[in-house]
Amino acid sequence: MRIKLEIWRQDAAETPGRFETYRLDGLSPDMSFLDMLDALNADLAAAGHRTVVFDHDCREGICGQCGVVINGRPHGPTRGRTTCQLHLRAFHDGDTIVVEPWRARAFPVVCDLVVDRTAFDRIVAAGGYVSVNTGSAPDAGAIPIPREDAERAFDAAACIGCGACVAACDNASAVLFTGAKVSHLAAVPQGRVERTRRVLDMVAAMDGEGFGACGMIEDCSAVCPKDIGIENIAQLNAEYLRAKLS
């Protein structure tokens, strides 16, 4: 299998970037996208060139660190998967694949395909916690939670914070991410102690990081590898209005 790659190269945050072209041959369609990048880097290293810097960790679709924009779509053409779960069989022999980092002011490029996503960490630190006693694990049935509430919280907690929602949004909005974190904790009793302060602090942190406003176009949910739904945006708006009026 032959692939032509147009990859964004940027030596450092303060330097201008550019696309560079690479051609790979003899690839297996069963290779993952990251395996292909590994093969490219092996060729570059053998030739004495600087390898392409990209982020990754688990390579199992759990952490989301691998996220890049592939042919204009975060994580590539296959819905419900992270970049590391994408395989070359999703493309055709001889295809040109354009690879670039997340594009958002709040996600500055560090090098090549790696961006700084610590803005998400600061949003979570602003309010994404609950005040519970530490120590031994509490009895699982100590606080009864209705099944519907538990499932709603679990669905929102599936967000891995990869940033695809921001990369897909024309306004680089982080409302889906923030909404998922707020919805997750608002759905269970343990999260209701800080309920009012949490949403105000997290929205303030989100705005302070320079993310844009939500236009409700739903591109964010369409590219989310964990299928986080836009009902979490509605929940965030409801929680925020409730907090402002309380």
Side-chain angles (χ1 to χ4, degrees):
M1 187 173 184
R2 296 172 295 107
I3 291 293
K4 177 183 175 183
L5 292 172
E6 298 281 350
I7 297 183
W8 182 259
R9 304 301 306 269
Q10 187 169 337
D11 297 333
E14 62 276 5
T15 60
R18 73 281 177 194
F19 281 103
E20 291 187 359
T21 302
Y22 305 97
R23 289 176 172 82
L24 292 174
D25 201 352
L27 301 173
S28 168
D30 294 324
M31 293 176 67
S32 74
F33 197 85
L34 296 191
D35 287 340
M36 178 188 65
L37 293 181
D38 287 338
L40 170 63
N41 279 343
D43 291 345
L44 290 174
H49 301 308
R50 185 173 74 79
T51 57
V52 176
V53 179
F54 61 96
D55 211 351
H56 64 95
D57 189 6
C58 71
R59 297 203 178 202
E60 295 178 345
I62 297 171
C63 69
Q65 297 303 303
C66 58
V68 292
V69 176
I70 301 168
N71 288 344
R73 182 182 175 92
H75 290 303
T78 307
R79 181 162 184 162
R81 296 183 183 179
T82 55
T83 299
C84 65
Q85 295 175 299
L86 178 67
H87 291 80
L88 295 190
R89 55 180 173 267
F91 304 95
H92 298 98
D93 185 36
D95 272 358
T96 296
I97 304 176
V98 180
V99 189
E100 53 190 317
W102 292 163
R103 301 291 190 182
R105 185 177 67 176
F107 289 163
V109 174
V110 176
C111 183
D112 293 344
L113 304 178
V114 176
V115 299
D116 180 357
R117 286 177 286 191
T118 55
F120 272 7
D121 297 333
R122 290 187 287 272
I123 292 173
V124 172
Y129 57 86
V130 296
S131 296
V132 296
N133 293 328
T134 57
S136 60
D139 180 19
I143 303 177
I145 302 175
R147 178 179 176 179
E148 294 79 9
D149 293 345
E151 290 182 346
R152 187 167 66 253
F154 186 83
D155 288 344
C159 170
I160 56 177
C162 66
C165 53
V166 175
C169 178
D170 290 342
N171 297 333
S173 172
V175 169
L176 185 66
F177 166 79
T178 307
K181 300 307 177 185
V182 168
S183 299
H184 162 214
L185 295 174
V188 293
Q190 295 91 330
R192 290 172 188 162
V193 176
E194 292 87 11
R195 186 174 185 174
T196 298
R197 187 172 75 249
R198 173 185 299 115
V199 66
L200 294 176
D201 290 347
M202 292 185 76
V203 169
M206 177 184 68
D207 292 341
E209 293 292 342
F211 291 105
C214 175
M216 288 299 290
I217 301 174
E218 302 183 33
D219 285 345
C220 53
S221 182
V223 302
C224 175
K226 299 303 177 181
D227 291 322
I228 302 297
I230 61 168
E231 64 271 10
N232 293 285
I233 297 177
Q235 179 72 26
L236 174 66
N237 291 336
E239 292 289 326
Y240 186 75
L241 181 60
R242 172 185 174 277
K244 293 292 284 187
L245 295 176
S246 63

